[in-house]
Amino acid sequence: MSPEERQLLEQHCKRFQRTKTDVLRSLLRSLQAQSLKQQGKQFDSGEVDLDLF
């Protein structure tokens, strides 16, 4: 991760009072949902934190 990306993550975490782990977990889940959607499969949207972005 570049210093700029790390700073962006830290700013996001501070602004929304979330841990880095929480933010990254939400991002990974949203990527999983997007991938499954492209494959035409169902995904439980309740597992995706849409407040990430």
Side-chain angles (χ1 to χ4, degrees):
M1 178 179 298
S2 72
E4 293 82 11
E5 291 167 332
R6 183 177 301 274
Q7 182 179 17
L8 182 60
L9 176 60
E10 290 176 5
Q11 288 172 350
H12 181 85
C13 291
K14 186 178 283 187
R15 179 177 177 196
F16 293 100
Q17 299 180 348
R18 296 176 68 183
T19 65
K20 292 174 192 167
T21 299
D22 187 39
V23 169
L24 294 172
R25 184 182 298 116
S26 294
L27 176 59
L28 290 171
R29 287 179 178 165
S30 69
L31 291 173
Q32 180 184 24
Q34 183 180 15
S35 177
L36 290 173
K37 184 178 178 182
Q38 289 175 350
Q39 295 174 19
K41 297 180 181 177
Q42 294 289 333
F43 185 80
D44 181 1
S45 61
E47 296 182 20
V48 177
D49 186 352
L50 299 177
D51 293 331
L52 176 63
F53 302 102

